[in-house]
Structure formats: structure tokens, C-alpha cells
């Protein structure tokens, strides 16, 4: 099964309409995205809880790392730079944090609020190498913007 982004975007918009609680929004998105595609092995949020620090938020899949400093790993890079991190081979990413030994590739998207501040990162791991594309990054970024930046 591969994700149908039009349907996914409409479903998430419908489920999150009118909700303002960030944790509730994150939980709903993590669930819907995780179950939308077989490539998505771990799907979840790391929230900015203090300057330079991410803590695990709502997720689907096995255990994740509880705390990630901005200066470490793929999630830290996304939070620190505010840029999408599309990593086809996590073993080739300097400083990759192996929260799960099964992860082969990763896509991490910064999550911004209406003011443009990075409030979290959305992390998707796959047990397949080269699992993610620029289309995945673009479509998921649009979904996150519609929910958190509107």
C-alpha cells in the first residue's frame, strides 16, 4: 500500500478541523500517516520543550528516543536548521541516532506554528533503504502547514 496524499490530506483536515490542542493534533496526524503507507515503520513527533531540546511526543510504532538535543541526529538537524531532512541511508548520516536498529532511511520535517517558529519535528522512519521521495516531503509538509500554521 502506498499513500494517497489527496485522501490523506482531506482525512486529516476533517479530523483536525477546529482542534487547537497541539498534542491532540500530533496524535491524530501520527496515526493517520503511519497507517497510510507500508513504508512508514515509525511515525511520530518530537516536540521542542525548551531551547535546543526535543522530547518525544505522540507516535506510532516501537519505542523512540525520549530526548534528542538539536545538535544530534536527523531530528536534531531538522529542528536546528528548520529544513527537511530526507536521508536515504541513515548509516551514511553523520551523528545519526539509532533509536531503532531496524531503521534504514528517514524523513524528518520541521513543524512550524502560525508565527513560523519550529515547535516540533515530524519523524518518519522506514526499515527500507531509500524509502522516501521529494514528493513525500512536499506533500507531508503541506499537511503539517495546513494543520499547525493556519
Amino acid at each position: 500500500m502506498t499513500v494517497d496524499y489527496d485522501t490523506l490530506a482531506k482525512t486529516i483536515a476533517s479530523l483536525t478541523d477546529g482542534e487547537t490542542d497541539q498534542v491532540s493534533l500530533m496524535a491524530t496526524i501520527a496515526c493517520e500517516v503511519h497507517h497510510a503507507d507500508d513504508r512508514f515503520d515509525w511515525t511520530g513527533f518530537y516536540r521542542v520543550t525548551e531551547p535546543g531540546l526535543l522530547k518525544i511526543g505522540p507516535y506510532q510504532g516501537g519505542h523512540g528516543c525520549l530526548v534528542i538535543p538539536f545538535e544530534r541526529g536527523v531530528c536534531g538537524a531538522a529542528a536546528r536548521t528548520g529544513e527537511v531532512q530526507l536521508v536515504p541511508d541513515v548509516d551514511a548520516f553523520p551523528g545519526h541516532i539509532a533509536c531503532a536498529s531496524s531503521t534504514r532511511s528517514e524523513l524528518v520535517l520541521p513543524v512550524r506554528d502560525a508565527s513560523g517558529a519550529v515547535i516540533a519535528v515530524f519523524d518518519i522512519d522506514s526499515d527500507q533503504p531509500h524509502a522516501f521521495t521529494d514528493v513525500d516531503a512536499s506533500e507531508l509538509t503541506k499537511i503539517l502547514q495546513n494543520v499547525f500554521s493556519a
Side-chain angles (χ1 to χ4, degrees):
M1 155 181 64
T2 56
V3 64
D4 172 347
Y5 281 112
D6 289 334
T7 300
L8 180 63
K10 289 174 186 170
T11 300
I12 289 173
S14 174
L15 291 169
T16 60
D17 184 43
E19 182 56 62
T20 58
D21 181 80
Q22 290 180 348
V23 173
S24 296
L25 294 168
M26 289 176 187
T28 301
I29 292 168
C31 180
E32 290 301 316
V33 171
H34 186 75
H35 294 287
D37 195 307
D38 292 336
R39 295 173 296 159
F40 303 163
D41 195 47
W42 192 95
T43 310
F45 289 86
Y46 284 94
R47 301 168 300 116
V48 177
T49 58
E50 60 186 79
L53 190 69
L54 298 166
K55 287 195 177 180
I56 199 163
Y59 68 92
Q60 299 276 312
H63 294 288
C65 296
L66 296 182
V67 177
I68 299 176
F70 277 26
E71 63 270 3
R72 294 204 52 225
V74 181
C75 290
R80 182 178 66 254
T81 65
E83 297 174 1
V84 170
Q85 302 293 309
L86 197 159
V87 182
D89 177 3
V90 296
D91 292 332
F93 188 90
H96 173 256
I97 302 169
C99 296
S101 61
S102 62
T103 299
R104 302 288 310 279
S105 59
E106 193 166 356
L107 173 61
V108 183
L109 308 151
V111 179
R112 298 179 186 280
D113 65 11
S115 74
V118 174
I119 59 168
V121 297
F122 186 47
D123 180 20
I124 306 172
D125 297 350
S126 181
D127 57 5
Q128 303 168 30
H130 302 273
F132 305 107
T133 67
D134 289 331
V135 171
D136 295 316
S138 174
E139 294 299 319
L140 290 165
T141 295
K142 286 186 224 173
I143 289 170
L144 294 171
Q145 288 171 341
N146 288 338
V147 172
F148 293 100
S149 299

